[in-house]
Amino acid sequence: MPSHDEINTAPPVTVPGGATNHTPDVPDLPAPQLARVILTVALLSYLSVTVLNLLGTDLPTPSLLTSLVCLALIFALQLRHSGAAVRWAPVQHRTLTLGVQALLTYLPIVVFHSQWGAMAGFLAGSLLLVLPGRWAWPAYGFVGLTMLIPPTLDGLSILETVYLAQSTLLTGLVVYGLTRMTELVQALHDTRSQLAGLAVARERLRFARDLHDLLGYSLSAITLKSELIHRLIPVQPRRAMEEVSEVLSISRQSLADVRAVSSGLRSMSLEQEMRSAQSVLEAADVEVRLEIRLGALGQEVDSVLAAVLREAVTNVLRHSRAGTCVLTAVQEEGRVRLSVSNDGVDPSYRDESPHSGRGLGNLRERLQSTHGTLTVTRGPGGTFGLVAEAPARPPRRLAAPDDAGLGAQEPAA
């Protein structure tokens, strides 16, 4: 017969939008598959104890084979009751499977007596898992009490009789606890994925809001003036030409605003983005180590590095199951160095295309415009590192020909 012998709460973190959330510190949380394996191994261990007990008796071969078949059926039913699908199964189906497990638990006791008692623990656990709470716990206790009968009929001592009942109840609690643990691990991983998706969706909403704020007025003004031009051309062509000039001016400004928003370079601050990234990552249950030692930065460098950080954090959320992320921004000897490193990366994953976000290639080009560099490294154990360096105040540069000429270019008629 079998015998059986910290959760730390992290400080509250503030997520974007001002909400305060308490996230559990679970850096060593097992994957859902591992939790399921632990449950299955535990069930097999209990089953093997009963098999060893039966093999130690002088049962005839047919009876022994019958007992093994019954054990296999009980194991299959227990896996069914420990699965998430049983919650949504019809009541009739759950009643049938519990009834079959009860028959397979109690009928063999007539033949195998106390040697079969360990299987009652499985039934006790299934009752806790399948029945509503008001029925589950009384039924669980009843199963434990029934296990006082077989050892009494076998003439065993009171100590052995109490031991069988107690081990039955304990086995039921272990089965119930491991099953619930597996469900909780799955729920936590699902929630983490949802938080990562929400973080990406929140960034997309921010981008959409910026575009709406910038372009809503401009596009409305262009529409109204175009309608006015349409009416003025036949009667006041000179006034229509003046309105055309204004439309061109508005459209050029709108183009510049769209470029600013799409580049993520609209008055962004690296230090503020570091704090925001810490909050978002912690909300996604990632342990963050933050180091900021910055002085005065040029506005362009500040914005470029903030954009690099946004893209790096988005990649952490979308393309890894990070447990730890280290964010460092240090300014030394006239240069600023931004470092983002995390674990939990699938070694086989490669994202060489820029159509997920802005892409690291675009960020590398943007850094080159400030005389900066971008380095990406992959380490052992699924680690990933990104380092961006740039002068704190790069020398002034001439505008690119395309940028300089675009403002003076007019569309062909």
Side-chain angles (χ1 to χ4, degrees), residues 27 59 106 139 161 166 188 192 195 203 206 213 241 243 248 254 271 292 294 306 336 383 390:
L59 291 173
Y106 285 108
T161 301
Q166 182 268 345
L188 284 173
R192 181 175 176 176
L195 286 172
E203 183 63 13
R206 181 205 62 79
D213 294 341
M241 289 297 295
E243 295 295 338
L248 287 173
S254 299
E271 184 166 351
I292 303 175
L294 295 174
V336 59
T383 59

Side-chain angles (χ1 to χ4, degrees), residues 26-40:
V26 284
D28 297 324
L29 184 69
Q33 295 83 356
L34 177 58
R36 189 70 184 176
V37 168
I38 293 173
L39 171 63
T40 304

Side-chain angles (χ1 to χ4, degrees), residues 72-82 97 100-101 104 126:
L73 292 174
I74 290 176
F75 180 71
L77 287 170
Q78 188 58 58
L79 287 179
R80 171 68 179 174
H81 293 156
S82 294
T97 56
V100 172
Q101 186 173 2
L104 292 173
S126 293

Side-chain angles (χ1 to χ4, degrees), residues 7-15 18-26 188 191 195 279 281-286:
I7 297 176
N8 298 324
T9 302
V13 295
T14 302
V15 298
T20 301
N21 191 16
H22 293 266
T23 57
D25 183 12
V26 284
L188 284 173
T191 301
L195 286 172
S279 177
L281 288 170
E282 288 179 341
D285 199 19
V286 179

Side-chain angles (χ1 to χ4, degrees), residues 193-257:
S193 299
Q194 292 171 4
L195 286 172
L198 287 174
V200 175
R202 188 181 293 113
E203 183 63 13
R204 289 174 177 169
L205 288 175
R206 181 205 62 79
F207 178 74
R209 283 195 300 267
D210 285 351
L211 281 180
H212 179 272
D213 294 341
L214 287 172
L215 297 182
Y217 170 79
S218 299
L219 292 177
S220 298
I222 290 173
T223 300
L224 292 173
K225 286 185 173 293
S226 297
E227 293 174 350
L228 176 61
I229 292 168
H230 187 333
R231 295 195 301 269
L232 290 177
I233 286 176
V235 293
Q236 299 184 40
R238 184 176 296 278
R239 170 77 186 282
M241 289 297 295
E242 293 175 359
E243 295 295 338
V244 168
S245 298
E246 290 189 23
V247 168
L248 287 173
S249 177
I250 295 173
S251 64
R252 287 167 183 158
Q253 183 59 47
S254 299
L255 179 60
D257 290 342

